[in-house]
């Protein structure tokens, strides 16, 4: 492979500048490793960040195209333009009060990998595309990986037309206000568009840190499913209804929540996890028996059968609790995405690149899901993880050291070089 030098200080400057495009910021961070970022898709901050990214790409002669939903494609043409390119990238939108590395490392790190290869004199046989994917976070429109789902064809134009934010602004209105136009039907790409996809990302867990490992070589991405539960009971005055006469929606919901936890804990598979992240209680008064409770379930595994079996158990338990507590429980599956296996050739290329660079590596499963999960439906896929302090992500104290970042980009650049020859 060609020798190349990653300019990690240049990249850190880019990341810090990108982090300034935020609608919130910490007024008194504990130290200079804390950076708060809030950047919702199609917001003023998002559009300014996109302009900054486009400018960085233009500075190294990468032509940028944009699709109707705002997915951005920066292209480095290869020697053989008949061959489909290798692609790398991630997202730059950020949930409220997040950190500065989630997603952005894959976008600007991908740019730094390309800059390093270009500066070394490397010439790819097939091109390399850097992709900024729209709206990986579900914050605004309630669905994660919006841009990659659309590219993979798993989210139809009809389904996209029904999406709206909390203020009632539709996806179509928001994207057109942001300057993105064209038929939504044209976003999906076929399997010949890219030869391979590789995404660099912070781990968002602590396996690499705990094992003092430089590089995570992802072998599979766990399959997430989202369920919404509504429990309807009978409300009443907290002092006026005796315990034997109650049909308390909150107590029924709590019983179901605990059963979900025990089902997952007792599973023979160590990769099955479930999270209840939102709960809404009506009427929400301290002296009123809850009449209605709604809550969400995130349940995931790399084994589809294991995850789906747990979902069936949740439905069965809900029916039992309905009967014993005299309540009504509706359990609706919102999304149920399949797991994704990383391509063995890409995994091998990442391993070889890590070994060549003298970096320790560990094969591992991604329990967080990423745009790569959906890209795997149209292209051979792989991911590279770098450690993050304490496994923390989606918080202002999200942090990876310059040395950890440099290792990740060196491995990414080497992997891109291998795959593009």
């Amino acid at each position: 492979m060609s020798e190349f030098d990653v300019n990690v200080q240049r990249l850190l400057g880019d990341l810090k500048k990108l982090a300034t495009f935020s609608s919130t910021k910490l007024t008194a961070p504990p130290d200079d490793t804390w950076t708060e970022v809030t950047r919702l898709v199609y917001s003023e901050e998002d559009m300014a960040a996109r302009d900054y990214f486009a400018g960085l790409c233009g500075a190294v002669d990468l032509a940028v195209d944009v699709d109707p939903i705002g997915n951005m494609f920066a292209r480095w043409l290869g020697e053989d333009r008949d061959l489909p390119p290798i692609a790398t990238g991630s997202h730059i939108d950020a949930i409220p009060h997040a950190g500065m590395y989630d997603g952005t490392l894959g976008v600007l790190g991908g740019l730094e990998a390309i800059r390093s290869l270009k500066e070394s004199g490397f010439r790819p046989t097939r091109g390399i595309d850097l992709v900024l994917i729209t709206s990986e976070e579900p914050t605004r429109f309630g669905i994660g990986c919006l841009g990659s789902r659309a590219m993979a064809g798993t989210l139809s134009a009809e389904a996209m037309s029904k999406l709206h934010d909390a203020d009632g602004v539709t996806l179509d209105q928001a994207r057109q206000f942001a300057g993105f136009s064209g038929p939504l039907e044209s976003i999906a790409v076929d399997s010949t568009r890219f030869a391979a996809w590789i995404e660099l990302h912070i781990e968002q867990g602590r396996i690499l840190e705990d094992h003092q490992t430089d590089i995570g070589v992802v072998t599979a991405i766990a399959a997430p499913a989202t369920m919404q539960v509504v429990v309807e009971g009978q409300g009443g005055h907290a002092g006026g209804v005796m315990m034997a006469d109650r049909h308390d929606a909150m107590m029924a919901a709590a019983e179901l929540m605990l059963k979900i936890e025990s089902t997952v804990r007792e599973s023979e598979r160590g990769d099955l996890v479930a999270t209840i992240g939102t709960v809404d209680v009506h009427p929400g008064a301290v002296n009123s028996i809850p009449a209605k409770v709604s809550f969400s379930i995130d349940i995931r595994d790399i084994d589809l059968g294991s995850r789906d079996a747990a979902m069936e158990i949740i439905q069965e338990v809900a029916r039992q609790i309905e009967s014993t507590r005299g309540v009504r429980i509706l359990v609706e599956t919102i999304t149920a995405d399949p797991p994704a296996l990383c391509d063995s050739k890409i995994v091998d290329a990442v391993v070889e690149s890590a070994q060549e660079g003298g970096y320790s590596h560990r094969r591992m499963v991604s329990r967080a899901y990423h745009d790569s999960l959906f890209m795997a439906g149209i292209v051979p896929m792989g991911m590279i993880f770098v450690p993050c302090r304490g496994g923390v992500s989606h918080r202002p104290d999200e942090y990876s050291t310059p040395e950890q970042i440099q290792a990740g980009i060196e491995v990414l650049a080497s992997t891109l070089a291998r795959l593009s020859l």
Side-chain angles (χ1 to χ4, degrees):
M1 304 305 301
S2 301
E3 292 294 327
F4 54 89
D5 294 317
V6 169
N7 188 335
V8 70
Q9 292 305 318
R10 174 173 59 187
L11 170 63
L12 290 174
D14 295 341
L15 286 167
K16 290 175 181 177
K17 176 64 177 179
L18 191 71
T20 65
F21 302 110
S22 170
S23 61
T24 64
K25 61 180 61 179
L26 289 175
T27 55
D31 59 58
D32 61 5
T33 66
W34 287 54
T35 304
E36 180 175 286
V37 180
T38 298
R39 190 163 49 238
L40 303 188
V41 65
Y42 303 142
S43 65
E44 179 181 338
E45 295 77 22
D46 181 41
M47 299 313 297
R50 289 168 177 269
D51 287 344
Y52 176 64
F53 169 73
L56 292 176
C57 292
V60 289
D61 298 322
L62 301 181
V64 179
D65 293 328
V66 183
D67 75 8
I69 207 172
N71 292 317
M72 302 178 71
F73 305 87
R75 294 190 168 92
W76 180 16
L77 295 175
E79 297 290 323
D80 188 340
R81 300 186 183 184
D82 291 330
L83 294 174
I86 305 302
T88 188
S90 194
H91 66 99
I92 64 168
D93 62 310
I95 69 168
H97 314 292
M100 63 177 278
Y101 300 96
D102 175 22
T104 59
L105 181 61
V107 176
L108 295 185
L111 176 61
E112 180 56 35
I114 290 173
R115 288 188 299 210
S116 300
L117 289 169
K118 287 173 76 74
E119 289 168 359
S120 74
F122 179 81
R123 299 295 298 273
T125 301
R126 61 175 76 238
I128 298 176
D129 278 14
L130 174 61
V131 187
L132 186 161
I133 300 181
T134 289
S135 193
E136 192 264 2
E137 303 293 0
T139 312
R140 183 167 186 183
F141 295 107
I143 184 170
C145 298
L146 177 60
S148 54
R149 287 179 192 266
M151 277 197 287
T154 62
L155 184 65
S156 68
E158 180 183 5
M160 282 187 275
S161 70
K162 297 177 182 178
L163 296 176
H164 59 83
D165 65 16
D167 297 321
V169 178
T170 67
L171 170 64
D172 197 50
Q173 291 170 330
R175 60 124 182 173
Q176 294 198 42
F177 184 78
F180 303 122
S181 59
L184 295 174
E185 291 84 358
S186 68
I187 298 171
V189 301
D190 61 36
S191 59
T192 63
R193 175 70 175 272
F194 302 116
W197 168 267
I198 181 77
E199 181 177 4
L200 174 66
H201 209 281
I202 59 171
E203 182 193 346
Q204 298 180 295
R206 52 185 298 170
I207 293 174
L208 295 176
E209 183 178 74
D210 285 350
H211 290 85
Q212 298 183 335
T213 305
D214 301 317
I215 297 294
V217 184
V218 178
T219 58
I221 303 175
T226 303
M227 307 173 79
Q228 186 67 32
V229 180
V230 178
V231 183
E232 295 178 342
Q234 293 180 6
H237 194 286
V241 182
M242 300 307 293
M243 300 302 291
D245 298 326
R246 295 191 180 195
H247 302 281
D248 187 325
M250 186 68 242
M251 293 300 100
E255 183 177 349
L256 179 54
M257 291 177 189
L258 288 173
K259 184 59 180 179
I260 292 167
E261 181 189 42
S262 64
T263 297
V264 172
R265 285 184 176 274
E266 293 165 8
S267 170
E268 295 180 356
R269 291 192 52 82
D271 291 319
L272 180 65
V273 294
T275 303
I276 296 166
T278 63
V279 180
D280 182 69
V281 181
H282 176 81
V286 67
N287 61 343
S288 181
I289 299 167
K292 182 178 179 180
V293 175
S294 303
F295 64 93
S296 63
I297 309 170
D298 178 299
I299 185 164
R300 60 184 72 191
D301 197 334
I302 60 169
D303 182 272
L304 195 59
S306 170
R307 186 202 68 187
D308 289 353
M311 294 171 69
E312 290 179 6
I313 291 173
I314 292 170
Q315 293 278 7
E316 292 170 4
V317 172
R319 302 289 78 79
Q320 295 169 8
I321 295 173
E322 274 189 325
S323 177
T324 58
R325 288 187 173 270
V327 298
R328 181 174 181 269
I329 304 177
L330 173 66
V331 183
E332 181 183 6
T333 298
I334 306 301
T335 61
D337 299 309
L341 297 178
C342 295
D343 181 80
S344 60
K345 292 182 180 178
I346 299 177
V347 169
D348 290 344
V350 176
V351 169
E352 291 168 5
S353 296
Q355 291 173 335
E356 181 181 70
Y359 295 114
S360 59
H361 68 277
R362 180 184 184 90
R363 295 175 188 250
M364 61 190 300
V365 169
S366 173
R367 290 178 175 82
Y369 82 107
H370 307 276
D371 287 309
S372 291
L373 179 73
F374 300 96
M375 296 301 290
I378 54 173
V379 62
M381 176 276 296
M383 289 194 75
I384 300 168
F385 279 172
V386 296
C388 53
R389 181 176 57 192
V392 165
S393 184
H394 284 189
R395 287 175 15 188
D397 54 332
E398 175 182 274
Y399 179 71
S400 292
T401 68
E403 295 76 18
Q404 291 167 338
I405 291 171
Q406 178 158 349
I409 296 173
E410 286 184 5
V411 171
L412 174 63
S414 180
T415 301
L416 290 173
R418 291 174 192 278
L419 296 175
S420 65
L421 291 177

